[in-house]
């Protein structure tokens, strides 16, 4: 395997590959960390320049990146940026892997099986996130419906009071690691008053 790969060294902030480019290499993190980021503007979600790159994953020692672009012929769906000083990656080019598959089909099969396992885990994780988001949107929709149905009850003197309970710590608005207290409760209760 070492004959068909090369060790690449990166420093903090250095780009390994960028979203939308034709990078078709597979990388394994030997030392350090790599942040995986997307540009919401390139995804078509916001206008260019309104917000910066968003981190969607972190790769640490023993993990891989670039599997999707290795398999398909599309540009990279995200960017990879070195997130620690002295990061070492083992890089496999698509062409070198293709030669290995021809020269040693058994090793090629094992590599393909490992890549399929990694991609399967990523798909399962993304499916879980999509389901969580769908449920969040579902509950938010019904909260808005309930508020609009009761809006006639509020005026400038008597507010419409509602309690919003959030049970997913990743969706907390007021508490958590970025708050003053840093204490993460099991659920978050927010009292909302509409006038």
């Amino acid at each position: 395997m070492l004959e068909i790969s090369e060790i690449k060294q990166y420093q903090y902030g250095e780009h390994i590959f960028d979203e939308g480019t034709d990078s078709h290499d597979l990388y394994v993190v030997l030392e350090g960390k790599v942040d995986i980021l997307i540009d919401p503007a390139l995804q078509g979600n916001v206008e260019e320049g309104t917000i910066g790159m968003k981190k969607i994953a972190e790769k640490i020692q023993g993990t891989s990146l670039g599997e999707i672009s290795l398999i398909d012929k599309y540009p990279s769906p995200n960017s990879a940026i070195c997130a620690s000083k002295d990061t070492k990656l083992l890089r496999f080019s698509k062409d070198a892997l293709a030669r290995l598959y021809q020269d040693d089909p058994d090793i090629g099969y094992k590599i393909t099986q490992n890549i399929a396992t990694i991609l399967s885990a990523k798909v399962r994780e993304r499916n879980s996130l999509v389901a969580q988001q769908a449920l969040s949107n579902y509950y938010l929709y019904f909260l808005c419906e309930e508020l609009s149905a009761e809006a006639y009850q509020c005026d400038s003197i008597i507010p419409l009071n509602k309690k919003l309970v959030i049970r997913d710590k990743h969706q907390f608005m007021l508490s958590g690691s970025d708050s003053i207290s840093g204490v993460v409760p099991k659920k978050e209760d927010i009292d909302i008053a509409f006038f």
Side-chain angles (χ1 to χ4, degrees):
M1 291 296 290
L2 292 175
E3 307 88 47
I4 65 157
S5 63
E6 65 176 316
I7 294 177
K8 302 280 286 182
Q9 198 144 358
Y10 295 90
Q11 296 300 315
Y12 180 81
E14 197 173 344
H15 288 235
I16 298 154
F17 55 81
D18 291 312
E19 185 174 0
T21 61
D22 286 328
S23 173
H24 298 292
D25 299 331
L26 174 68
Y27 297 87
V28 177
V29 180
L30 299 175
E31 293 176 20
K33 285 191 308 189
V34 175
D35 284 342
I36 305 298
L37 302 106
I38 60 166
D39 184 348
L42 289 177
Q43 303 287 324
N45 297 331
V46 296
E47 284 194 37
E48 192 171 345
T50 54
I51 59 174
M53 303 271 283
K54 294 294 174 194
K55 179 178 167 180
I56 58 169
E58 180 180 272
K59 299 295 182 175
I60 58 171
Q61 184 177 350
T63 59
S64 60
L65 54 142
E67 306 92 346
I68 293 173
S69 293
L70 177 74
I71 301 296
D72 65 25
K73 292 182 170 94
Y74 295 103
S76 176
N78 47 47
S79 297
I81 299 176
C82 180
S84 64
K85 67 179 204 173
D86 298 330
T87 294
K88 286 184 184 174
L89 304 178
L90 190 62
R91 177 184 163 268
F92 298 91
S93 74
K94 187 172 189 164
D95 293 337
L97 284 170
R99 283 192 304 276
L100 175 68
Y101 291 170
Q102 287 178 342
D103 296 344
D104 193 338
D106 289 338
I107 289 182
Y109 173 77
K110 288 177 185 174
I111 291 171
T112 302
Q113 193 171 27
N114 287 339
I115 290 172
T117 301
I118 291 167
L119 291 176
S120 175
K122 287 182 178 184
V123 168
R124 288 179 190 278
E125 181 183 347
R126 295 303 189 276
N127 285 346
S128 176
L129 291 172
V130 167
Q132 287 177 11
Q133 186 65 43
L135 286 174
S136 294
N137 290 341
Y138 175 79
Y139 293 125
L140 184 59
Y141 169 79
F142 280 103
L143 175 65
C144 292
E145 285 290 314
E146 186 178 329
L147 290 173
S148 64
E150 296 177 12
Y152 69 91
Q153 297 176 13
C154 66
D155 58 32
S156 58
I157 299 170
I158 305 169
L160 172 61
N161 291 306
K162 284 288 176 191
K163 182 180 286 283
L164 180 61
V165 179
I166 304 170
R167 298 186 194 290
D168 179 2
K169 68 180 180 181
H170 301 293
Q171 306 294 330
F172 285 174
M173 294 185 251
L174 303 177
S175 58
S177 59
D178 295 335
S179 72
I180 295 170
S181 70
V183 176
V184 181
K186 288 186 178 181
K187 66 179 181 180
E188 183 175 78
D189 296 25
I190 304 170
D191 289 313
I192 305 172
F194 295 90
F195 290 91

